[in-house]
Amino acid sequence: MKGGDPIAPGFPVVPDVTTSGNVGKWTEDQFVTVLRTGKTPEGREIDPKNMPWPMTAAYTDTELKALYTYLKSI
Ligand code: HEM
């Protein structure tokens, strides 16, 4: 959750998705939008080949809010 080396050669660095990273600055609504659309509040588009957001797009509101609450706690 704190980020790290790419998962395989050719992939981007895995970002810190906790309070110490970018995600810590996002509101719950922004977080849910990123995981549903792949577009970040900073205007970046996440390539679904790198980060499987079509998977998280299928999560329920409750599941996404639970993830946000957890990631804000670490
Ligand atoms: C429930 C599961 C997951 C959650 C909640 C999640 C959350 C996130 C978030 C919020 C970002 C954007 C971070 C930012 O822009 O600062 C991100 C990016 C990323 N995630 Fe995930 N992720 C999940 C699963 C995965 C999996 C399974 C992989 C790899 C197989 C992965 C790899 C990545 C990578 C490589 C990025 C950076 C993409 C880029 O910069 O283009 N994530 N993730």
Side-chain angles (χ1 to χ4, degrees):
M1 302 298 170
K2 293 286 182 187
D5 292 336
I7 55 167
F11 282 84
V13 165
V14 176
D16 180 347
V17 291
T18 71
T19 47
S20 45
N22 213 17
V23 181
K25 300 185 204 112
W26 298 345
T27 65
E28 185 181 80
D29 279 354
Q30 289 174 324
F31 178 80
V32 169
T33 299
V34 172
L35 292 185
R36 288 244 161 90
T37 68
K39 292 187 187 68
T40 73
E42 300 83 29
R44 263 182 313 112
E45 299 221 8
I46 299 174
D47 186 336
K49 286 201 268 351
N50 297 331
M51 156 68 203
W53 61 261
M55 167 187 78
T56 53
Y59 290 3
T60 65
D61 285 350
T62 304
E63 287 169 330
L64 290 173
K65 286 177 184 178
L67 277 168
Y68 181 79
T69 302
Y70 172 65
L71 293 172
K72 287 291 263 191
S73 77
I74 56 176

